[in-house]
Amino acid sequence: ANFTSCDCATGAPDNDDSENILGGDAVEDAKHEAMKQARIRRGEEIKSKVRSMSVSDLLGMIFGAQQERVSTYKIYENGLSTILLSRDITDYPALCAKVTASFSVLSDTINAAKSSLVEQHKRKDISTVVDQLQKQECDKLNFTAALHLERLRLNNSELGVGNDADERAKKLLKESIQTLQGKISLTVQSINESIDELRCIAVDEEE
């Protein structure tokens, strides 16, 4: 499952009126273009800010963004739990859109810090670890999104909704959930190792 697909979820049109459909497409296109332009502007602002920062300050920015990622995951998980309890999955696309926006800002911040580390400080050694961290975070997000979708499917199955309402399907879904949880756990370990490596570099910078 592709996490960013949640951000594109829209309701189906009430009828087959082609003008309404085209109008809806135009609104969505305008919305995505506005988001794209906002991200470009934000990227330029961040680049301008980090240009004069020291290596220690740039590492501090990365650590701060990582902490915010942890907080965003809590919002994501708590939001899913609320949706599963309420049995109203129509709220899930809005939750995805909210956390997608947050993760996008944090990823842009870390990428800007990485660029400055290379361009201003010639610290390719640090940027290599940051690249590794970003890849691990991408994997974690994809696994988490897939896990959420499987949990939603299992929730529907247990309610007797859809085509999965049988014991064999439930068993397969539970196995899939367990597999994804294992992948997330291993990825989190790798993320922590990358952060520890960056913390060691940060300590060396302060000496």
Side-chain angles (χ1 to χ4, degrees):
N2 188 331
F3 175 79
T4 55
S5 64
C6 297
D7 194 31
C8 300
T10 57
D14 293 332
N15 54 51
D16 291 329
D17 189 307
S18 60
E19 288 186 10
N20 286 346
I21 293 172
L22 290 172
D25 288 344
V27 169
E28 285 302 309
D29 288 346
K31 187 188 299 182
H32 285 292
E33 180 61 25
M35 290 172 62
K36 179 182 175 182
Q37 293 302 319
R39 185 170 187 178
I40 291 171
R41 286 195 301 272
R42 186 174 67 239
E44 291 303 318
E45 289 170 4
I46 296 171
K47 284 181 182 178
S48 176
K49 177 183 176 182
V50 302
R51 203 164 285 135
S52 60
M53 292 175 68
S54 67
V55 171
S56 293
D57 287 342
L58 291 167
L59 287 169
M61 176 180 280
I62 292 170
F63 297 141
Q66 280 299 122
Q67 275 302 116
E68 289 189 49
R69 269 176 168 162
V70 172
S71 298
T72 303
Y73 268 110
K74 287 180 181 176
I75 292 170
Y76 196 19
E77 292 299 327
N78 291 340
L80 176 65
S81 296
T82 299
I83 288 165
L84 291 175
L85 285 172
S86 69
R87 309 269 168 99
D88 184 6
I89 63 171
T90 59
D91 290 335
Y92 191 67
L95 173 65
C96 284
K98 179 180 179 180
V99 297
T100 296
S102 296
F103 282 127
S104 173
V105 171
L106 297 172
S107 184
D108 286 349
T109 298
I110 290 176
N111 284 333
K114 182 196 75 171
S115 294
S116 185
L117 284 164
V118 174
E119 294 167 10
Q120 307 299 322
H121 301 282
K122 313 304 179 187
R123 295 301 300 268
K124 180 67 177 173
D125 57 323
I126 304 178
S127 75
T128 299
V129 182
V130 175
D131 278 335
Q132 178 178 282
L133 174 63
Q134 291 286 74
K135 170 63 168 60
Q136 292 160 346
E137 284 288 353
C138 182
D139 289 343
K140 180 187 175 185
L141 197 51
N142 285 330
F143 290 145
T144 301
L147 174 61
H148 279 204
L149 293 177
E150 293 296 77
R151 289 178 65 188
L152 288 166
R153 288 180 64 202
L154 179 60
N155 186 63
N156 283 348
S157 178
E158 290 175 340
L159 289 172
V161 177
N163 298 322
D164 293 332
D166 59 73
E167 292 307 312
R168 183 173 177 277
K170 290 178 189 176
K171 183 173 182 291
L172 290 172
L173 284 168
K174 288 176 181 177
E175 289 174 354
S176 177
I177 287 169
Q178 190 171 12
T179 297
L180 287 165
Q181 287 172 332
K183 289 181 178 180
I184 290 170
S185 180
L186 289 173
T187 305
V188 169
Q189 288 180 25
S190 297
I191 288 170
N192 289 337
E193 288 170 4
S194 294
I195 293 171
D196 285 344
E197 192 171 347
L198 290 172
R199 290 198 186 284
C200 288
I201 294 171
V203 169
D204 290 341
E205 287 299 315
E206 291 173 1
E207 290 178 352

